[in-house]
Amino acid sequence: MKHGGDLLTYQHYYPEELIDFSSNINPLGLPVGLKEKLFNSFENLKVYPDIKYRKLKKAIGAYLGCSEGNVLVGNGAVEIINNFIIGAKRVVIMTPSFSEYENRAIVHGKPVIKIPYIQDEYNFLVNLESLDNFLKKDDILILGNPNNPTGLRIEQEMLEEVYDLVVRRKAYLLLDEAFYEFCPPDYDSIDLFKDYDYEKVGIIRAATKFFSLPGIRLGYACSSIEKSEMIQKIELPWSVNAMADAAGQFIFENSDFIKESRSYIEKEREYLLDKLMDIEGIRPYKSHTNYILIKLIAWDGDYIFDYFLRRGILLRTCSSFLELADDYIRIAIKDRENNQRLIKVFEELVSLN
Amino acid sequence: MKHGGDLLTYQHYYPEELIDFSSNINPLGLPVGLKEKLFNSFENLKVYPDIKYRKLKKAIGAYLGCSEGNVLVGNGAVEIINNFIIGAKRVVIMTPSFSEYENRAIVHGKPVIKIPYIQDEYNFLVNLESLDNFLKKDDILILGNPNNPTGLRIEQEMLEEVYDLVVRRKAYLLLDEAFYEFCPPDYDSIDLFKDYDYEKVGIIRAATKFFSLPGIRLGYACSSIEKSEMIQKIELPWSVNAMADAAGQFIFENSDFIKESRSYIEKEREYLLDKLMDIEGIRPYKSHTNYILIKLIAWDGDYIFDYFLRRGILLRTCSSFLELADDYIRIAIKDRENNQRLIKVFEELVSLN
């Protein structure tokens, strides 16, 4: 499976509706009031979206805490990642990570330097020493923060060291923070790098995961005014559609949805991690976000994928993630009922052994 | 003005709502029933669109008259143009034409060969001799059919000669047919090149203009199965959002809307061309589609743009179109009431001279 959320491919293996643990969407669902907002914006489809997305960028700037001039928008985070890659000489990534970092580099003919995360029993950590060895001028270093599929935020001190290295090398740091809002409040990169005017850093976020809007395709980013202007020159025109434009002018206002989702995920993450630790034959990794990477000890990924699929649960195998063999799976954190169902299937599986 | 439809930039010059003659959208507006269809698809936003767009491609294939395997979809026609360009060595265009052909070539570092159309008093025609001189192996030749902003379809015989040349040179022909449905029925390129299995040709169309959906961002194309598979490898994932996906599974079914729009445009095109021919100091070019290019004899483009803007009409200046100086404007064909209003302002302008 190349990406999560591909229900259509697997639906026929199970008579009822599949429970999708393969894509990491907020279990609280769509923001309240959005349906009405979009319905009222229907006539917008008749005209081109504002090619400069002025109102949208204003709303995003206010939400992120940066100025409109720093804001970039795109057809999902992946289009913004793509546009940053176009301007780089080489692409440096740490593995395992989201497969599109490498895919987009290949599409644009950029050499890819892959450095493995340092792996211990429960964590995947940034390898600063290797970065120091490999990072060169005009490289773009892309780091998930938290990283997908491994799930941990980069510690603030480490992030500052990475940024210092990037500046010294005249490289560029792109932080993919598509899962930022799910994480426990630590530092905010947009705040952290404000004093540097985001000189050598771009920070990407998205409506996709936290606002449960993978279908709407709305990613956004904060970078220096200079960099934002450069990226705007290479962007496809009107890449954010009118519905995504309208949604982005609405969803950030609902602070209750944001608070509630954060605390819901925190509770369910603890619950699931706790339960998973008790399952024999698997090893869950620590997570700050709304998914958990699991190393399979007693089975391989294909077997587990199939076993759960026949019981109505779609898991994410991890072979598409660079450098992960097929003995890993990733699960999304869902609502309590579904999380319990997942645990039950694991327990049943163990009892068969 | 870089692109049409940028109402937000100009709205403050006029107290009431501007009439937008700058973007070429079907004056009959949105397809009936679409609002309900999209409203019923709202929950789709919670999940990723089918990454393979299977149902959408099936609907498009049925509408275009080709197989699903031939179909490509994208975030507007411009994304598909962009993806075809990525695979080419050089980009050959005829000028004047849509500025994004050159823009996207520059973004991807491709050399651009520009050949002027042969211009006579009322027409811009393909220059086969120059093409013969310049076209090389692995070039992509992009031709608007009808071309924007000039407005004429390529005659079938000429198109076949161009295709023969492209095949002999081992180049590739990309036809941008975003305005196809507005034109009088002549040949259908998708039918014409079916016997060749679209070996060296891609044909792009879009929901943007004819289905009045510039805000939804839905372009589609027909090319050989081999080429479609190549392009799919470099596409951004999920580039068509869930609302565009749903719309594309709906709009082609309404054959009444299609027939009505065609005959409406034909009538208004005749009316407008007729009236414009009588205005002194301008020279309208022949058109097969829903816009008319006008050469200004007695004024320059900026003066005319400003003059109409102050009277509530947004025109399209043509300086963004390659090789057109600022003494051209392009107007969209709108409904009778607005077309009359445009003519009235022209007549008033002439009376001042």
Side-chain angles (χ1 to χ4, degrees):
Chain A
M1 161 184 267
K2 195 170 178 291
H3 281 290
D6 188 8
L7 287 167
L8 199 55
T9 295
Y10 298 101
Q11 187 58 70
H12 61 280
Y13 289 98
Y14 190 70
E16 289 159 57
E17 204 181 335
L18 281 173
I19 301 169
D20 183 13
F21 274 85
S22 78
S23 85
N24 310 318
I25 305 304
N26 189 336
L28 293 191
L30 292 158
V32 177
L34 180 63
K35 189 169 187 175
E36 204 188 348
K37 168 78 181 170
L38 294 191
F39 200 53
N40 292 336
S41 308
F42 175 73
E43 293 288 322
N44 291 1
L45 294 177
K46 261 193 335 201
V47 292
Y48 280 91
D50 173 20
I51 198 162
K52 295 180 181 162
Y53 294 105
R54 281 162 273 206
K55 289 178 189 169
L56 176 61
K57 287 185 178 181
K58 199 171 168 186
I60 292 169
Y63 174 61
L64 296 181
C66 62
S67 102
E68 297 157 55
N70 296 117
V71 175
L72 289 166
V73 295
N75 184 15
V78 66
E79 184 177 43
I80 305 182
I81 293 166
N82 178 75
N83 292 347
F84 272 94
I85 285 174
I86 288 176
K89 241 188 195 158
R90 304 190 313 173
V91 176
V92 180
I93 59 180
M94 301 207 69
T95 60
S97 59
F98 183 40
S99 56
E100 291 298 334
Y101 305 158
E102 183 174 16
N103 291 346
R104 301 319 299 169
I106 291 169
V107 165
H108 298 297
K110 310 289 180 184
V112 180
I113 313 302
K114 295 189 241 181
I115 300 169
Y117 280 97
I118 298 171
Q119 186 176 358
D120 67 20
E121 200 174 358
Y122 294 107
N123 301 291
F124 284 83
L125 301 167
V126 169
N127 190 337
L128 189 64
E129 205 181 295
S130 280
L131 280 179
D132 192 25
N133 286 336
F134 288 106
L135 200 68
K136 279 203 222 167
K137 187 165 176 290
D138 297 329
D139 282 351
I140 188 166
L141 167 63
I142 309 179
L143 293 176
N145 188 34
N147 185 52
N148 178 13
T150 53
L152 288 190
R153 291 271 289 167
I154 305 165
E155 284 188 13
Q156 181 175 335
E157 202 177 316
M158 171 59 85
L159 182 58
E160 288 175 323
E161 286 187 59
V162 170
Y163 185 70
D164 285 346
L165 174 66
V166 163
V167 170
R168 281 200 312 276
R169 293 289 157 81
K170 299 194 161 92
Y172 193 85
L173 174 62
L174 187 62
L175 294 173
D176 177 359
E177 298 196 343
F179 296 93
Y180 171 72
E181 285 95 337
F182 291 113
C183 300
D186 43 8
Y187 60 92
D188 176 348
S189 326
I190 290 177
D191 200 41
L192 186 66
F193 292 110
K194 184 167 270 171
D195 286 345
Y196 303 85
D197 291 328
Y198 313 107
E199 194 195 339
K200 289 287 185 187
V201 64
I203 300 140
I204 294 182
R205 297 194 184 157
T208 307
K209 311 293 185 178
F210 190 72
F211 295 97
S212 314
L213 288 167
I216 216 160
R217 314 308 302 136
L218 177 61
Y220 35 91
C222 168
S223 67
S224 70
I225 295 200
E226 195 192 351
K227 189 75 177 179
S228 291
E229 284 171 358
M230 275 174 56
I231 297 280
Q232 280 169 63
K233 278 187 195 140
I234 62 169
E235 278 172 354
L236 283 170
W238 314 291
S239 72
V240 172
N241 98 344
M243 293 290 114
D245 189 359
Q249 293 175 52
F250 175 79
I251 54 176
F252 307 125
E253 286 166 17
N254 190 341
S255 56
D256 285 350
F257 175 86
I258 297 173
K259 254 186 268 171
E260 232 176 279
S261 302
R262 269 181 192 266
S263 75
Y264 191 95
I265 285 294
E266 192 175 348
K267 203 177 69 215
E268 288 307 308
R269 182 170 54 230
E270 271 176 37
Y271 168 81
L272 254 185
L273 266 173
D274 214 49
K275 292 285 183 189
L276 288 168
M277 295 288 270
D278 289 343
I279 308 283
E280 270 174 71
I282 65 172
R283 200 174 70 208
Y285 287 85
K286 278 191 199 161
S287 168
H288 289 135
T289 184
N290 68 326
Y291 51 84
I292 297 169
L293 181 69
I294 297 173
K295 189 171 167 67
L296 304 167
I297 314 288
W299 309 273
D300 73 23
D302 289 342
Y303 176 79
I304 293 290
F305 180 81
D306 200 55
Y307 185 88
F308 277 77
L309 185 59
R310 283 164 199 279
R311 283 147 189 90
I313 290 176
L314 187 65
L315 298 178
R316 178 72 189 268
T317 56
C318 288
S319 51
S320 84
F321 290 102
L322 306 172
E323 318 297 320
L324 277 188
D326 65 354
D327 51 352
Y328 288 83
I329 55 166
R330 192 195 67 189
I331 57 159
I333 292 168
K334 298 187 76 73
D335 60 20
R336 180 61 61 99
E337 188 192 333
N338 283 314
N339 292 338
Q340 282 173 333
R341 192 162 154 187
L342 179 90
I343 294 296
K344 228 181 116 200
V345 177
F346 264 121
E347 288 169 347
E348 181 196 294
L349 173 75
V350 172
S351 75
L352 294 175
N353 254 22
Chain B
M1 162 185 264
K2 197 170 176 292
H3 281 290
D6 188 8
L7 287 166
L8 199 55
T9 295
Y10 298 102
Q11 188 55 70
H12 60 283
Y13 290 99
Y14 190 71
E16 289 159 56
E17 205 182 332
L18 282 172
I19 302 169
D20 184 13
F21 274 86
S22 78
S23 85
N24 310 319
I25 304 305
N26 188 336
L28 293 191
L30 292 158
V32 176
L34 180 63
K35 188 168 185 174
E36 204 189 348
K37 169 73 182 176
L38 294 192
F39 199 55
N40 292 336
S41 308
F42 176 74
E43 294 287 322
N44 291 1
L45 294 176
K46 261 191 338 199
V47 292
Y48 280 92
D50 172 19
I51 198 162
K52 295 180 180 161
Y53 295 105
R54 280 162 273 205
K55 289 179 190 169
L56 177 61
K57 288 186 177 181
K58 199 171 171 186
I60 292 170
Y63 174 60
L64 296 181
C66 63
S67 101
E68 299 158 53
N70 296 118
V71 175
L72 289 165
V73 295
N75 184 15
V78 66
E79 183 176 45
I80 304 181
I81 294 167
N82 178 75
N83 291 347
F84 273 94
I85 285 174
I86 289 177
K89 239 189 196 157
R90 306 190 312 172
V91 176
V92 181
I93 58 179
M94 301 208 68
T95 60
S97 59
F98 183 42
S99 56
E100 291 297 335
Y101 304 159
E102 183 174 15
N103 291 348
R104 301 319 300 170
I106 292 169
V107 165
H108 297 297
K110 309 289 178 184
V112 180
I113 314 300
K114 295 189 240 179
I115 300 169
Y117 280 97
I118 298 172
Q119 187 177 357
D120 67 19
E121 199 173 0
Y122 295 107
N123 302 292
F124 285 83
L125 301 166
V126 169
N127 191 338
L128 189 63
E129 206 181 293
S130 281
L131 280 180
D132 193 24
N133 286 335
F134 288 106
L135 200 67
K136 280 201 221 169
K137 186 166 178 289
D138 297 331
D139 283 351
I140 188 166
L141 167 64
I142 309 179
L143 293 176
N145 189 33
N147 186 52
N148 177 14
T150 54
L152 288 190
R153 289 270 290 167
I154 305 166
E155 285 188 12
Q156 182 175 335
E157 204 178 313
M158 172 60 86
L159 182 58
E160 288 175 322
E161 286 188 58
V162 170
Y163 184 70
D164 284 347
L165 175 66
V166 162
V167 170
R168 281 201 311 276
R169 292 292 156 80
K170 299 193 163 100
Y172 193 86
L173 173 63
L174 187 62
L175 294 173
D176 178 359
E177 299 197 344
F179 296 93
Y180 171 73
E181 285 94 338
F182 291 112
C183 299
D186 44 6
Y187 60 92
D188 175 349
S189 327
I190 290 177
D191 201 39
L192 186 64
F193 292 111
K194 184 167 271 172
D195 286 345
Y196 303 84
D197 291 329
Y198 313 106
E199 194 195 339
K200 288 288 185 183
V201 64
I203 300 141
I204 295 182
R205 298 196 183 154
T208 308
K209 311 293 182 174
F210 190 73
F211 295 97
S212 313
L213 289 167
I216 217 161
R217 316 306 303 135
L218 176 61
Y220 36 90
C222 167
S223 68
S224 69
I225 297 201
E226 195 192 351
K227 189 75 176 178
S228 292
E229 283 172 358
M230 274 174 58
I231 297 280
Q232 281 168 63
K233 278 187 194 140
I234 63 170
E235 278 172 354
L236 283 169
W238 314 291
S239 72
V240 171
N241 98 344
M243 293 289 113
D245 189 358
Q249 292 175 52
F250 175 78
I251 54 177
F252 307 125
E253 285 166 18
N254 191 341
S255 55
D256 286 349
F257 175 86
I258 297 173
K259 257 187 265 172
E260 233 176 277
S261 302
R262 268 181 192 267
S263 74
Y264 191 95
I265 284 293
E266 193 176 347
K267 204 176 70 218
E268 288 307 309
R269 182 170 55 227
E270 272 176 38
Y271 168 80
L272 253 185
L273 266 172
D274 214 46
K275 290 286 182 190
L276 288 168
M277 294 289 270
D278 289 343
I279 309 283
E280 272 174 70
I282 65 171
R283 199 175 72 211
Y285 287 87
K286 279 192 199 156
S287 169
H288 289 136
T289 183
N290 68 326
Y291 52 83
I292 298 171
L293 181 68
I294 296 173
K295 188 170 168 68
L296 304 167
I297 314 287
W299 310 272
D300 73 22
D302 289 343
Y303 176 80
I304 293 289
F305 180 81
D306 201 54
Y307 184 89
F308 277 77
L309 186 59
R310 284 164 199 279
R311 283 148 189 88
I313 289 176
L314 187 65
L315 298 178
R316 178 69 191 269
T317 57
C318 288
S319 51
S320 84
F321 290 103
L322 305 171
E323 317 297 321
L324 278 189
D326 64 355
D327 51 351
Y328 288 84
I329 54 166
R330 192 197 66 190
I331 56 158
I333 293 169
K334 298 187 74 76
D335 60 21
R336 181 60 61 97
E337 188 192 332
N338 283 314
N339 293 337
Q340 282 173 333
R341 192 163 155 187
L342 179 90
I343 294 296
K344 228 182 115 201
V345 177
F346 264 121
E347 288 170 346
E348 181 196 297
L349 172 75
V350 171
S351 73
L352 294 175
N353 251 22

